[in-house]
Amino acid sequence: MAKRGGYMGGMGGGMPGNMKNLMKQAQKMQREMEEAQANLSDQEFTATAGGNAVEVTVSGDKTVKGVKIAPEAVDPDDVEMLQDLIVAAVNSAMDQVDEAQKKVMGAASGGLGGLGGMPF
C-alpha cells in the first residue's frame, strides 16, 4: 500500500506547474484567435460570376457588403440566369472567407490541430 501512495504522490507533485503553463498557453492562444477573428471581420472579399457580370463583396464575418450587376447581365427574359450568377458569386465570396478563416485559425493555434497534442 505504501508503494501505491508514493506513486500517486509523485504524479500529483509534477502536474500543477505543467497545468498552469498549459492554461497560460491556452489563454494566450484564445486571445490570439479572438484578435485574428476580429481582424478577419474587417477584411472584405470580392468574387465575380458570369465573366464579371456580377460582383459580390462580403466582409470577413460573412455580411454581404455590396452587389454590382453589369447592365448587360439584366435580361428580363432570363431573370433566372441573373439569379444564378448572384448565387454563384455570393458562394464564391463566402468560400474565400472560409479559406481565410482556416488560415487565420491555423496560424493562431500554432498548428496544434485542436486538442490532439494535449497530454491527457
Side-chain angles (χ1 to χ4, degrees):
M1 288 295 185
K3 186 174 184 181
R4 181 175 179 219
Y7 175 73
M8 294 302 286
M11 287 290 289
M15 288 301 281
N18 291 338
M19 288 302 290
K20 189 180 287 187
N21 288 337
L22 189 60
M23 290 302 292
K24 284 182 183 180
Q25 289 175 347
Q27 289 170 346
K28 179 183 176 194
M29 186 171 65
Q30 182 177 0
R31 280 192 307 274
E32 289 173 354
M33 290 176 89
E34 288 170 356
E35 290 172 13
Q37 190 67 37
N39 291 336
L40 183 64
S41 294
D42 293 337
Q43 294 180 24
E44 290 188 349
F45 301 84
T46 301
T48 61
N52 295 328
V54 173
E55 178 182 288
V56 174
T57 302
V58 299
S59 65
D61 63 359
K62 295 187 175 183
T63 300
V64 175
K65 294 295 198 175
V67 176
K68 292 181 184 177
I69 301 172
E72 59 271 11
V74 181
D75 180 356
D77 294 327
D78 196 2
V79 174
E80 189 174 309
M81 181 177 9
L82 179 57
Q83 292 169 342
D84 290 343
L85 292 174
I86 293 169
V87 168
V90 169
N91 287 336
S92 181
M94 295 298 182
D95 288 344
Q96 290 178 28
V97 174
D98 289 341
E99 285 302 312
Q101 285 178 332
K102 287 178 188 176
K103 288 179 185 175
V104 166
M105 293 304 138
S109 68
L112 289 178
L115 298 178
M118 296 293 187
F120 49 89

